[in-house]
Amino acid sequence: MPLTSTDWLVIVGYLLVNLLIGIYYRRRASGNTEEFFISGRDVSWWLAGTSMVATTFAADTPLLVTGLVARQGIAGNWIWWGSCVGGMLTVFFFARYWRRAEILTDVQLVEIRYGGKPAAFLRGFKAIYLGLFMNCFILGWVTQAMVNIITVLLGPAIAQGKVLQLTVGGHGFQYTLGDPRYTALLICVLVLIPFTGLYTFIGGLWGVLVTDLFQFALKMAMIIVLAWVAVAKIGGMQALQLKLKVIENNVHQTGVQTSDPTAFLPDFHLGLTTDALWTLPVLTFIVYLGMQWWLAWYPGAEPGGGGYVAQRMFSAKDEKNSLGATLWFNIAHYALRPWPWVVTGLVAVVVYSPYGGLHPSAAFAQNPEQGYVMVLRDYLPPALRGLMVAAFLAAFMSTIGTQLNWGSSYLVNDLYKRFFVRNSTERHYVLVSKIFTVLLVLGSGYTATKLSSINQGWNLVLNIGFGTGAVYILRWYWERINAWSEIIAMAVAAAMTIGLSRVNFTGNTALVYAKTALITGLFTTIAWIIATYVTPRESDQTLIAFYKRVHPTVYGWKRIAKLVPELPEVRDVASNAFNWLMGCILVYGCLFGIGKLVFGEWGWGLLLLALSAIAGYLIFWDLSRRGWATLSGKESTPASQVANAD
């Protein structure tokens, strides 16, 4: 795909805008670690929430969705759609608690909720595990996705055997290009990641937040344009659906069991464990929607919140903005953003499928995740190519920027400052933060070379965290949870994942995931519950300090509440549960309503959108009566106003 000089000017202009934003915020970010990592706790809900959405819109996400659609149809997206239930739980049950905790990282909560050497060990371990290993893993698979994109888009320009000549100071240098994927990896590791690290290094979280806003607008605009243009090129939505039906019939004639690739739900007529094309096994769907959201840990979708989502909650002006940011994130993430990806994924099937596609492709059959970029390459007009490349850079850089800032916050606040240099100046810690940012840049490049597919990365992270989620939810609501509960849950989940990886389960990848997740979740849950009861409870001093600081609902804390009679007892579970239910109806109604409109089913689409609007109004009504509807200012609702909200 040749890029014109205009395209390159657009790309360079985009990069310069990001750099200028980082430079603009350099003074604020250099003051102290609170400014560098959480923007001085002065961020409005719309900016914090949009940054969450931009971060989860990585370069790998459109590719992942395309691969899911090619293998499992639209229903395959329940691997992440199911997490909305947990996301809404975070909005109404935990967002205020996170902001109220007044901490710098979610790992720091460990030594506020627990005490003694087990808590110190857990904090240090999680700082290394999340800040270094898991963060580099995520950075690596996002980088690997960008390598796929560059290889497809610029393959001819970085073809094997070409010689690049460069003159510097009168001296000439030559470089012979080898494998295009290796050259693409060098572009990511030596150019794109360091550039992202530069404006993250300079601007801290303020630079990340504002560039995220700019990047999200660009990304959303271009994925909509690509879906629109691609559908128009093949004759419209009706032609798309007809061609999908033809391909489905062709596959069925080969003896392979298939289902409707445009169905929003799995084919329940096929049974629990049927391995068919273009549908999700029902057992996997049950795990995704019924268990994964509360049992599985995943960065950005942790039960109860955590990671960079929690970081944005910490940065909010107050508890109201924290709740509003998380609510906006879940609406935009699950309801507003998926359909341009899904539609383009369906176009890729119609165009490149070996079973009667318009232009059958062996490369697509082998790696359908690349179908998204192939559609971009073959159908987008030259005038828009530079913008689309910039949009992919935005997707890549928004995630990289957040991961670098988020990862270094663990390594500085929860490792270096906690265990090595405890009483230095804030300027010293900011400098160390920037050094860790550079180290994470280097680690991500190495990890990118070790992943064979994006979907492999998703499934590995989901499996490692399966079974730990319930602990992260209950630690806020049950005072008996202790540090050993978390330690045992993490250890058993990791051991089960490693052990089950050696077992040959039958079925496709989605079905194998469901089987291993069920086994891992069962054994991990049993293990941490036993550990909770056989190990000592946390000291009353630690529990009282936590209760005073976070002021959780009294259920599960009645013994501690009696020791702090001066604090009113909060009883807001019923109202939070109502809003949680309405939030799920709001998002899923909007998601499927928009989907029905996309496929021309206007009656169902408008009905689902109306149901979504009613749910949204009921949330606003309940928050208004509880004093939570206004999302401005620095005030927090006094505990006395929410103590008896039920």
Side-chain angles (χ1 to χ4, degrees), residues 140-310:
W141 100 48
V142 172
T143 301
Q144 198 250 11
M146 196 65 197
V147 168
N148 288 342
I149 294 166
I150 294 174
T151 303
V152 174
L153 292 182
L154 303 179
I158 57 175
Q160 187 170 357
K162 285 194 174 183
V163 177
L164 295 180
Q165 293 186 344
L166 178 66
T167 301
V168 179
H171 298 282
F173 300 91
Q174 290 186 347
Y175 174 67
T176 302
L177 298 177
D179 182 355
R181 287 187 57 81
Y182 179 71
T183 304
L185 178 61
L186 289 180
I187 292 173
C188 289
V189 175
L190 300 181
V191 179
L192 297 180
I193 296 179
F195 185 86
T196 307
L198 180 61
Y199 73 73
T200 305
F201 182 98
I202 295 172
L205 186 62
W206 273 116
V208 172
L209 292 173
V210 178
T211 52
D212 277 352
L213 181 65
F214 164 62
Q215 290 165 348
F216 178 68
L218 174 62
K219 290 183 287 189
M220 280 302 302
M222 291 311 301
I223 64 171
I224 292 172
V225 167
L226 176 60
W228 186 285
V229 170
V231 170
K233 290 284 187 179
I234 64 172
M237 285 301 300
Q238 286 188 338
L240 173 66
Q241 291 172 276
L242 289 174
K243 289 180 172 63
L244 284 171
K245 184 61 66 176
V246 170
I247 292 173
E248 182 185 348
N249 291 334
N250 292 343
V251 174
H252 192 68
Q253 290 175 8
T254 66
V256 176
Q257 195 166 22
T258 64
S259 187
D260 180 9
T262 64
F264 297 172
L265 295 171
D267 192 335
F268 292 95
H269 297 95
L270 295 176
L272 279 176
T273 59
T274 302
D275 185 355
L277 184 64
W278 291 329
T279 190
L280 188 68
V282 175
L283 180 64
T284 309
F285 173 72
I286 292 172
V287 171
Y288 287 163
L289 187 59
M291 300 178 63
Q292 183 171 283
W293 62 267
W294 64 274
L295 269 180
W297 177 92
Y298 173 77
E302 297 92 334
Y308 50 79
V309 170

Side-chain angles (χ1 to χ4, degrees), residues 388-401:
M388 196 66 212
V389 172
F392 265 116
L393 291 176
F396 178 64
M397 295 167 65
S398 63
T399 302
I400 293 295

Side-chain angles (χ1 to χ4, degrees), residues 321-447:
N321 279 273
S322 177
L323 184 149
T326 320
L327 179 60
W328 163 237
F329 161 61
N330 280 276
I331 294 172
H333 178 61
Y334 294 107
L336 303 183
R337 193 175 58 186
W339 288 108
W341 295 335
V342 171
V343 170
T344 304
L346 292 173
V347 171
V349 173
V350 165
V351 176
Y352 305 114
S353 171
Y355 299 100
L358 298 176
H359 305 288
S361 169
F364 177 76
Q366 183 178 5
N367 185 9
E369 293 169 343
Q370 291 190 352
Y372 192 92
V373 192
M374 294 166 69
V375 172
L376 184 166
R377 178 195 64 194
D378 296 338
Y379 286 96
L380 204 61
L384 295 174
R385 287 176 181 169
L387 279 174
M388 196 66 212
V389 172
F392 265 116
L393 291 176
F396 178 64
M397 295 167 65
S398 63
T399 302
I400 293 295
T402 287
Q403 294 295 145
L404 293 175
N405 185 271
W406 169 61
S408 62
S409 71
Y410 289 149
L411 297 175
V412 173
N413 187 66
D414 301 302
L415 185 66
Y416 182 80
K417 185 177 181 179
R418 168 63 179 83
F419 295 101
F420 295 100
V421 181
R422 305 193 65 167
N423 297 307
S424 189
T425 64
E426 284 295 307
R427 189 170 296 276
H428 170 79
Y429 293 126
V430 171
L431 175 62
V432 173
S433 304
K434 295 179 177 181
I435 294 173
F436 277 126
T437 299
V438 174
L439 293 177
L440 289 174
V441 167
L442 299 175
S444 65
Y446 173 78
T447 311

Side-chain angles (χ1 to χ4, degrees), residues 373-544:
V373 192
M374 294 166 69
V375 172
L376 184 166
R377 178 195 64 194
D378 296 338
Y379 286 96
L380 204 61
L384 295 174
R385 287 176 181 169
L387 279 174
M388 196 66 212
V389 172
F392 265 116
L393 291 176
F396 178 64
M397 295 167 65
S398 63
T399 302
I400 293 295
T402 287
Q403 294 295 145
L404 293 175
N405 185 271
W406 169 61
S408 62
S409 71
Y410 289 149
L411 297 175
V412 173
N413 187 66
D414 301 302
L415 185 66
Y416 182 80
K417 185 177 181 179
R418 168 63 179 83
F419 295 101
F420 295 100
V421 181
R422 305 193 65 167
N423 297 307
S424 189
T425 64
E426 284 295 307
R427 189 170 296 276
H428 170 79
Y429 293 126
V430 171
L431 175 62
V432 173
S433 304
K434 295 179 177 181
I435 294 173
F436 277 126
T437 299
V438 174
L439 293 177
L440 289 174
V441 167
L442 299 175
S444 65
Y446 173 78
T447 311
T449 64
K450 302 301 179 182
L451 290 176
S452 60
S453 78
I454 301 164
N455 195 54
Q456 174 194 24
W458 274 68
N459 285 321
L460 180 60
V461 173
L462 287 174
N463 273 307
I464 290 177
F466 211 93
T468 61
V471 180
Y472 302 138
I473 291 175
L474 291 175
R475 63 184 177 181
W476 300 91
Y477 285 91
W478 185 24
E479 55 101 356
R480 188 62 179 84
I481 295 287
N482 59 34
W484 287 108
S485 305
E486 286 199 33
I487 293 171
I488 296 301
M490 294 178 66
V492 174
M496 291 297 298
T497 299
I498 295 171
L500 292 175
S501 67
R502 304 176 184 275
V503 179
N504 294 320
F505 291 98
T506 58
N508 61 20
T509 303
L511 193 54
V512 170
Y513 166 73
K515 294 176 180 179
T516 56
L518 285 169
I519 297 171
T520 302
L522 175 63
F523 279 90
T524 301
T525 302
I526 293 173
W528 74 254
I529 290 176
I530 293 174
T532 300
Y533 281 106
V534 301
T535 53
R537 66 171 68 241
E538 299 295 340
S539 68
D540 285 353
Q541 181 182 3
T542 298
L543 295 174
I544 289 172

Side-chain angles (χ1 to χ4, degrees), residues 109 112-113 476 542-550 557:
L109 181 73
I112 295 173
R113 175 60 178 82
W476 300 91
T542 298
L543 295 174
I544 289 172
F546 176 81
Y547 184 79
K548 286 182 175 181
R549 185 166 186 159
V550 176
W557 290 88

Side-chain angles (χ1 to χ4, degrees), residues 579-622:
N579 287 325
W580 175 34
L581 176 61
M582 290 301 103
C584 293
I585 294 174
L586 165 65
V587 172
Y588 285 127
C590 189
L591 170 65
F592 298 124
I594 294 173
K596 292 294 184 182
L597 294 180
V598 167
F599 288 102
E601 299 181 37
W602 294 91
W604 274 109
L606 293 175
L607 178 63
L608 288 169
L609 289 177
L611 182 64
S612 176
I614 292 171
Y617 170 76
L618 291 174
I619 292 172
F620 180 80
W621 166 79
D622 184 70

